[in-house]
Amino acid sequence: MKRVFIPILMCISSVFLMGTAYDDKNFSSVLAKECVIATKRLNVRTGPGVEYPVVTSLAEDTKLSVIGAINNWFVVILPDQSVGMVSKNFVNITKFKEVSQGADDEIIRQESDELEEEIIYAEESPAERLFLLVNEARMKNHLTAYSWDNQLNEAARIKVEDMAENHYFGHESPNLGTPFLMLRDIGIFYKTASENIANSESIESAHEKMLNSLAHKSNLLSKRYNKMGIAVLENPDADGKFLIVQIFIEA
């Protein structure tokens, strides 16, 4: 297994150095393995930003293999086996890498008689980690992955900060009102919407508890909703715990 993995890393690095102008030291591995384009046409670029040249444009539902990320851009293998970069905001993750149970999310150590190597995985934000866990659960249940939505993430951030600053835990805010009023005031339009909130010692624990709650699970595995926003914040009123807000909408 290791004899295969090492040449792949070397090949990826050489592609970056020859084909782009950015520093490949920012490259990080991710849990995502495959994705599909979630917009009608998506530009593929040589680097992680709109300032980089476009190498091709791909149609909606085109499948891509994910080999890593730089900031908010996935490094992908294109249908013609070349390498390019696409914005995470315009793709849906459809498959995740398998991680051995009990393995550290940041460092996975592989050992053999001939070679010992450490592979470092860049630490994702708590919100990104939870987003991946939710979509992994959806994939296991043969459901379409939720889209990463910056506007909904901002709405979730506003709500979680409101809970922390005003020392309450509930769906109705003394300042923002219900989640539906909050979304309306922010300017987010939707057909239907819902909200999950949690207060837990870890992202993984919160995710498991919500999956074991019928009401929360119905949002996580909904066939109606297609977008989700997430925000995570350390709870100032409970050491070692996180406040979590998930907002779901049918756009």
Side-chain angles (χ1 to χ4, degrees), residues 51-234:
E51 67 273 20
Y52 288 90
V54 175
V55 293
T56 188
S57 178
L58 298 176
E60 187 174 12
D61 294 329
T62 301
K63 295 181 181 180
L64 303 169
S65 296
V66 179
I67 56 178
I70 295 180
N71 300 326
N72 199 42
W73 291 69
F74 279 139
V75 184
V76 296
I77 298 177
L78 307 179
D80 65 359
Q81 298 305 302
S82 63
V83 175
M85 300 201 68
V86 295
S87 170
K88 294 180 182 179
N89 297 331
F90 300 103
V91 298
N92 288 330
I93 299 169
T94 56
K95 193 172 183 179
F96 294 83
K97 295 175 183 176
E98 293 185 2
V99 179
S100 301
Q101 187 173 3
D104 191 309
D105 286 339
E106 296 178 1
I107 300 177
I108 298 178
R109 180 167 298 176
Q110 300 177 335
E111 297 181 356
S112 69
D113 293 337
E114 299 177 358
L115 179 65
E116 180 176 331
E117 179 186 8
E118 287 187 350
I119 306 169
I120 307 298
Y121 287 81
E123 185 178 358
E124 292 155 334
S125 73
E128 289 173 330
R129 173 63 177 158
L130 185 54
F131 179 81
L132 291 174
L133 288 172
V134 171
N135 275 338
E136 186 176 22
R138 290 182 66 82
M139 293 299 101
K140 289 179 180 178
N141 285 274
H142 310 289
L143 298 169
T144 303
Y146 279 132
S147 298
W148 179 267
D149 190 284
N150 289 331
Q151 194 175 19
L152 280 179
N153 289 337
E154 176 65 12
R157 183 193 66 78
I158 291 172
K159 176 61 180 286
V160 78
E161 288 183 354
D162 185 67
M163 287 199 296
E165 291 171 2
N166 293 285
H167 310 286
Y168 74 94
F169 181 75
H171 290 292
E172 187 163 353
S173 162
N175 299 316
L176 305 171
T178 67
F180 315 109
L181 287 174
M182 179 186 70
L183 291 175
R184 184 199 66 185
D185 291 342
I186 293 173
I188 296 177
F189 301 98
Y190 58 89
K191 296 177 182 177
T192 55
S194 191
E195 177 186 73
N196 283 350
I197 58 175
N199 181 32
S200 189
E201 61 275 6
S202 71
I203 300 304
E204 291 74 14
S205 173
H207 180 65
E208 287 301 318
K209 289 176 181 177
M210 286 190 284
L211 281 178
N212 290 320
S213 163
L214 183 59
H216 294 86
K217 184 178 180 180
S218 67
N219 289 331
L220 296 174
L221 303 183
S222 172
K223 294 181 180 179
R224 171 180 292 178
Y225 302 129
N226 50 24
K227 291 185 177 182
M228 173 180 62
I230 297 178
V232 180
L233 189 67
E234 291 184 10

